Amino acid sequence: MSAAALASDNELVPELVPEGLLSQNCWQDPDHQVCSLVHRWTDNDTLAELADLLLAKPMAILLLILGGVAARWLINRVIDRVTRSAAAGTVPGARAAEAVTPLLHERREQRAKSMGSLLKNIATIVIFTVVTFMVIATLGYNIAPLLASAGILGVALGFGAQSLVKDFISGIFMILEDQYGVGDVVDLGDAVGTVEAVSMRVTRLRDVNGTVWYVRNGEILRVGNQSQNWARTVLDIPVGYDVDLRRVREVLHEVAHALWQDPEWSGAILEEPEVWGVERWTAEGVVVRVVLKTAPLKQWEVAREMRELIKDRFDTLHIDIPYAHAAAYGAPPQVAPEPKEDPDGDAPEGDGGPAAQPEDEPERGRRR
């Protein structure tokens, strides 16, 4: 090839290749193998640069994209396998409750799916960000300013949205630890009610009066779950001081045991009821405690049924239930006699006539 032809080819390079890509000859860089190969075959600078621009870089970008897609697919497969294992497992201490409340199994599956979806989203964002920066670097741009800008942006968001980040992190751990879920009755401090929705940032629950409460996850310091795995009905039954306590304990045990063996309540009561005995003394009488281990959210129904049965049984056996009542002490109030009319038409006694004058006599006697 003549020198004039090479010169004419080299003059076309600035017009065909973007500025900044020719700062270093690509065939001299060992990383640009396609450019080196084309330059060695053709001994043409322009063709080597164009081959690097139109073949090597698109192929590298395509490989990066395919690698990102493959990495995302592999990570998603691992996450799916982990979530399936978590959904198929059992919560410690909840096997007996699951036998009577299949909702616990569904709830565990929902929690596993939620965590799997969250992990997949995080993995997708991370892979997309890494592939984007690698593509930019492959195009020949310096990614150091982008990384510095991303760091500054992260710091700014960390300081400006601390509460939002706190809410999201608390929501992730709350779901991961299964502190509560939809349908649970929880005590969050200022709000007590049934959970209607749980998200990464806020929890919505409705109290017994119908009021809907929105509580940020980052503001929840404690959680009292009244319906997780199993519950307990605790009844304090007052009786009089003159009642035989041994007889009372036998009656309470009979009533609770009969309810436990009732087929209608067999799914609600998990274990044989227990009568713990005298709980305390009060001014009205003695308080005896009876407890029943129940399925989640069944403790209130069992308590209502037990109160009715105990009341009927006590009435049958004439066992008095003490109650507070008021008693008045002292002489009965005096009622003034009604005035009698004179048959002759005179003024009635006590209306200012002569009969009323003796009332002043004691006072005149005292003045003497």
Side-chain angles (χ1 to χ4, degrees):
M1 185 178 293
S2 62
L6 291 175
S8 62
D9 291 339
N10 291 332
E11 290 176 356
L12 296 175
V13 172
E15 299 178 359
L16 299 176
V17 183
E19 184 180 357
L21 295 179
L22 296 178
S23 59
Q24 181 182 2
N25 294 329
C26 63
W27 58 86
Q28 297 176 352
D29 189 351
D31 295 335
H32 296 74
Q33 297 181 2
V34 175
C35 179
S36 302
L37 183 61
V38 173
H39 188 271
R40 187 167 59 252
W41 285 351
T42 62
D43 197 21
N44 189 309
D45 299 348
T46 303
L47 292 178
E49 294 289 352
L50 290 176
D52 183 69
L53 178 64
L54 300 178
L55 294 178
K57 294 184 183 300
M59 289 179 61
I61 294 174
L62 181 60
L63 290 176
L64 287 175
I65 295 175
L66 293 177
V69 173
R72 181 178 179 274
W73 176 82
L74 180 61
I75 293 176
N76 287 348
R77 287 290 302 272
V78 174
I79 293 175
D80 290 337
R81 185 173 181 179
V82 173
T83 53
R84 283 196 299 267
S85 299
T90 56
V91 179
R95 188 181 300 272
E98 285 188 354
V100 295
T101 54
L103 292 178
L104 290 178
H105 181 70
E106 298 180 3
R107 170 179 165 179
R108 187 173 57 253
E109 289 183 347
Q110 294 177 358
R111 185 177 71 255
K113 291 180 180 179
S114 300
M115 292 306 303
S117 177
L118 175 63
L119 294 176
K120 288 181 181 180
N121 293 333
I122 294 176
T124 301
I125 294 174
V126 172
I127 293 174
F128 175 80
T129 303
V130 172
V131 171
T132 301
F133 278 102
M134 294 180 68
V135 168
I136 294 174
T138 303
L139 292 175
Y141 296 97
N142 187 9
I143 63 173
L146 294 177
L147 295 176
S149 301
I152 296 174
L153 180 62
V155 173
L157 290 176
F159 280 102
Q162 294 183 16
S163 60
L164 185 62
V165 175
K166 181 181 178 182
D167 294 340
F168 273 93
I169 294 177
S170 299
I172 291 173
F173 280 101
M174 179 196 67
I175 296 177
L176 181 63
E177 297 172 357
D178 190 25
Q179 297 180 9
Y180 56 84
V182 176
D184 286 346
V185 178
V186 297
D187 181 359
L188 302 182
D190 296 333
V192 180
T194 304
V195 178
E196 292 188 341
V198 180
S199 65
M200 294 297 173
R201 193 184 69 86
V202 70
T203 297
R204 186 179 80 232
L205 65 153
R206 189 182 299 271
D207 63 13
V208 68
N209 297 321
T211 304
V212 178
W213 295 83
Y214 294 88
V215 184
R216 290 167 42 197
N217 296 331
E219 299 297 326
I220 299 176
L221 301 179
R222 63 175 181 83
V223 177
N225 196 329
Q226 303 179 20
S227 56
Q228 193 172 47
N229 299 339
W230 57 273
R232 174 173 285 160
T233 297
V234 180
L235 295 176
D236 291 337
I237 309 301
V239 295
Y241 282 103
D242 56 346
V243 177
D244 185 3
L245 295 180
R246 181 175 300 178
R247 178 57 177 162
V248 170
R249 289 168 58 93
E250 293 177 356
V251 171
L252 293 178
H253 184 270
E254 292 174 0
V255 173
H257 192 79
L259 184 64
W260 176 48
Q261 293 183 337
D262 189 347
E264 184 179 353
W265 295 91
S266 60
I269 304 176
L270 303 180
E271 296 180 359
E272 185 177 0
E274 299 179 4
V275 180
W276 287 358
V278 177
E279 180 66 20
R280 62 183 178 274
W281 297 334
T282 64
E284 291 80 15
V286 181
V287 177
V288 182
R289 173 164 293 185
V290 55
V291 297
L292 302 91
K293 187 174 181 179
T294 68
L297 301 177
K298 295 294 184 179
Q299 61 268 36
W300 298 289
E301 298 180 14
V302 174
R304 297 187 187 99
E305 185 68 17
M306 278 290 297
R307 292 189 185 98
E308 293 182 7
L309 296 177
I310 292 174
K311 176 63 169 59
D312 295 340
R313 191 64 177 275
F314 277 15
D315 291 344
T316 303
L317 300 177
H318 303 288
I319 299 177
D320 295 332
I321 298 178
Y323 60 93
H325 56 280
Y329 298 93
Q334 299 293 332
V335 180
E338 296 181 359
K340 299 180 181 180
E341 296 183 359
D342 190 357
D344 298 335
D346 296 337
E349 296 180 2
D351 289 347
Q357 292 180 359
E359 296 180 359
D360 298 332
E361 290 295 330
E363 186 174 358
R364 288 199 298 268
R366 286 194 297 269
R367 284 200 296 267
R368 293 193 188 99

